Amino acid sequence: MTATYPVGALCSTCYHHRRRNPRTCVECGNTRIAAGRTSEDGDLCGPCSGRPDLHTTCRQCDYPGDIYANGRCTRCAITDRVTHLLAGPDGTIAPPFQPLADALTQAEKPWSVMSWLRTSAAAGLLDELTTEHTEISHGLLDRLPQSTITRNVRHHLVMTGALPERHETFARLELWAIATLEALPPHQSRIVSPFSEWHVIKDARRRAERGRYTPGAAKADRGNIRAAILLLNWLDQHQLTLPDLHQEDLDLWLTQNPTRRQAVHSFVRWLTKRKLTRPLDTQLARKGFPANFQTDDEHEQQLQRCLTDEALPRELRIVGALIRLYALPIVRIKEITTSQFQLNDAGAFLTIDRHPVLLPPTLARLIKAHIARSQASSMLKPRASSGPDYLLPGRHAGRPLSAGHLIKRLRNHDLPTRAARNTAMINAITELPPIVVSDLFGLSAATTFQWAKFAQQNWTDYLALHK
């Protein structure tokens, strides 16, 4: 318990909520801290409930409540702190930092901003930047250690318009590659640098420009470069050069590094194509067909849970249903924006790729309610032009929830993802022509063909067993 108001004893959460959110008093009509309640559950201010001492206003802006210190509200106190944080040696805020200053002082949750200013290491980094620089750029931040703190600062600057947007996943790959290659001895750098720049990063840049470069793809690309370095290190240890590398040498390395077989494959192909080594084969195993499925009953029961179980968090119900109805991977679900959901006289539709798909009424109501009520928990509101409004907004403004976070939460609620998606895909491919599945779900023709082949093979085996 923190305080006793006419309305009763208040815990810390309720106390701060009332002080930060003044309401209209039903007796005097003024907007003040709601200290009491009428018999009809109407709000009463402090003076009207017999406690004039509970009526406080900011001495600077007359805001009726939320006094932070020295008689001033949180927002007024923030203005001074932000000026102190972002102002240069001359006491003024440089134009490049002004958008961030405006966003901080006008935030919808000023108490969150105050906490961030007081405790965040990112605020400390901003203080250093504004003290030493009058201009801000991605290049300036790129020269700093790429920690969570630096990424936090960059995100706030981008979201408020102080920095232009860029494909951050791809940019991090480039920064990592530069730092990694600089640490290599010259004879290795002469090999890995062109492989990295003209093979790995060039392809990553092309995918990023199409908007299809994911953190998972960046992880795989870093793995390819690491595998190349490991192979060259092994050659150095065994006093071998690339022209000396025979198939039996590569097989020995693969035996000692079995988890690197897939990653080193592109490097070996690149070496062979450029005749830097003799023809070599990493002997990649062909991808097998999926083996993780659910029974029809399991699939249906979990779908019904997602659609009807109000004890489940709404965002998990939406994700779980989209997986089980349309075989969508989570990495695509998290990128869905509110503009892809449309209501008209014909029903509710979700544009998954290029074509709108009719949604079941229950799922449509879930998505409609989620759009109406959900909001990002970020202390800063992104600019209207800063990017799409995600259906599943994340902790940071302008970003969706992460795929790993969603998978973990679904698993904790006994809603597996891979088996459910495989089952949904096999159901779709047996009921619809592959070209229709490809168009509706936004899958490549090769992927849908493989699924169709798998479904046909299983159906042939089933008929053979039941002759």
Side-chain angles (χ1 to χ4, degrees):
M1 183 178 70
T2 295
T4 301
Y5 273 25
V7 73
L10 301 177
C11 67
S12 176
T13 301
C14 293
Y15 170 76
H16 288 297
H17 179 77
R18 284 181 174 269
R19 292 183 64 83
R20 292 167 177 169
N21 299 276
R23 302 173 186 174
T24 301
C25 176
V26 297
E27 189 163 315
C28 68
N30 293 315
T31 300
R32 295 171 173 172
I33 295 173
R37 186 181 292 122
T38 67
S39 57
E40 291 81 21
D41 284 338
D43 291 315
L44 290 173
C45 66
C48 291
S49 59
R51 289 287 303 276
D53 59 302
L54 297 179
H55 171 52
T56 56
T57 59
C58 174
R59 65 178 175 84
Q60 185 170 331
C61 71
D62 285 334
Y63 184 79
D66 190 27
I67 302 304
Y68 179 77
N70 299 324
R72 297 194 306 162
C73 67
T74 304
R75 194 174 297 281
C76 288
I78 283 174
T79 301
D80 288 347
R81 296 204 177 195
V82 168
T83 301
H84 180 267
L85 172 72
L86 299 180
D90 61 354
T92 62
I93 298 176
F97 295 99
Q98 192 60 54
L100 177 60
D102 294 340
L104 289 170
T105 55
Q106 298 167 18
E108 295 179 354
K109 301 175 181 179
W111 49 92
S112 296
V113 174
M114 181 61 78
S115 176
W116 182 81
L117 290 170
R118 289 174 51 245
T119 63
S120 174
L125 177 57
L126 275 170
D127 190 15
E128 295 177 14
L129 291 174
T130 53
T131 300
E132 300 172 5
H133 304 276
T134 57
E135 297 290 337
I136 188 72
S137 66
H138 282 297
L140 174 61
L141 295 179
D142 288 345
R143 291 192 290 273
L144 300 175
Q146 297 306 298
S147 64
T148 302
I149 299 169
T150 310
R151 290 194 289 270
N152 194 343
V153 168
R154 192 193 303 272
H155 174 72
H156 289 320
L157 291 169
V158 170
M159 282 298 102
T160 57
L163 281 180
E165 294 184 49
R166 70 177 188 178
H167 198 298
E168 199 57 38
T169 300
F170 172 71
R172 289 183 195 175
L173 173 71
E174 281 194 304
L175 291 175
W176 175 87
I178 291 171
T180 300
L181 295 175
E182 286 178 349
L184 295 179
H187 72 285
Q188 290 188 2
S189 180
R190 284 194 296 270
I191 300 298
V192 181
S193 291
F195 168 70
S196 171
E197 178 60 34
W198 300 109
H199 182 74
V200 178
I201 293 180
K202 181 181 178 181
D203 179 65
R205 183 181 293 109
R206 184 170 59 250
R207 285 181 285 167
E209 290 171 352
R210 297 200 306 263
R212 295 185 178 274
Y213 193 64
T214 65
K219 181 180 180 181
D221 284 340
R222 286 192 293 270
N224 290 346
I225 296 174
R226 287 193 184 102
I229 295 171
L230 285 174
L231 178 58
L232 294 182
N233 285 338
W234 186 86
L235 292 177
D236 289 346
Q237 292 169 6
H238 291 77
Q239 299 181 346
L240 294 172
T241 64
L242 286 173
D244 297 331
L245 182 62
H246 288 74
Q247 183 66 50
E248 53 266 30
D249 299 317
L250 179 61
D251 291 342
L252 176 60
W253 185 87
L254 291 170
T255 301
Q256 297 172 350
N257 300 270
T259 61
R260 305 282 182 172
R261 183 180 294 271
Q262 181 71 43
V264 84
H265 176 70
S266 61
F267 181 56
V268 171
R269 286 187 61 190
W270 182 85
L271 292 172
T272 302
K273 186 175 181 179
R274 282 150 186 80
K275 296 181 170 49
L276 297 175
T277 186
R278 68 191 70 235
L280 298 169
D281 184 9
T282 54
Q283 301 175 7
L284 277 181
R286 291 188 177 182
K287 290 185 178 180
F289 288 120
N292 207 355
F293 290 90
Q294 295 178 325
T295 65
D296 290 341
D297 287 343
E298 286 176 330
H299 195 73
E300 181 63 27
Q301 288 171 3
Q302 290 179 7
L303 175 59
Q304 290 305 313
R305 275 187 66 203
C306 294
L307 294 175
T308 62
D309 187 355
E310 296 186 0
L312 285 172
R314 186 172 56 237
E315 64 271 19
L316 297 188
R317 294 172 65 187
I318 293 171
V319 175
L322 289 175
I323 292 172
R324 286 156 180 80
L325 285 170
Y326 307 113
L328 294 179
I330 287 187
V331 291
R332 290 189 61 200
I333 294 175
K334 75 182 185 69
E335 298 293 335
I336 292 175
T337 63
T338 55
S339 62
Q340 292 175 246
F341 176 72
Q342 297 176 340
L343 282 170
N344 56 42
D345 294 339
F349 296 85
L350 184 68
T351 302
I352 295 177
D353 186 46
R354 292 169 294 174
H355 307 284
V357 177
L358 182 65
L359 297 174
T362 305
L363 179 57
R365 287 192 293 270
L366 275 176
I367 295 178
K368 181 180 178 181
H370 191 69
I371 292 174
R373 299 175 190 173
S374 69
Q375 57 180 348
S377 58
S378 172
M379 66 177 182
L380 297 182
K381 185 177 181 180
R383 296 169 296 127
S385 60
S386 64
D389 291 327
Y390 289 104
L391 176 64
L392 304 168
R395 182 169 175 265
H396 295 292
R399 294 181 184 174
L401 289 170
S402 73
H405 173 76
L406 288 169
I407 291 172
K408 181 178 180 180
R409 291 181 63 195
L410 286 165
R411 188 185 301 121
N412 290 341
H413 286 278
D414 294 324
L415 291 171
T417 55
R418 178 172 297 181
R421 181 173 178 251
N422 288 345
T423 304
M425 179 60 75
I426 203 70
N427 289 340
I429 208 70
T430 53
E431 295 175 5
L432 297 171
I435 188 62
V436 175
V437 175
S438 177
D439 286 344
L440 286 180
F441 298 169
L443 299 172
S444 68
T447 298
T448 50
F449 173 77
Q450 288 297 323
W451 274 99
K453 181 179 178 181
F454 173 61
Q456 181 62 38
Q457 176 178 310
N458 273 17
W459 182 244
T460 302
D461 293 343
Y462 176 82
L463 291 177
L465 289 172
H466 290 80
K467 282 184 178 180

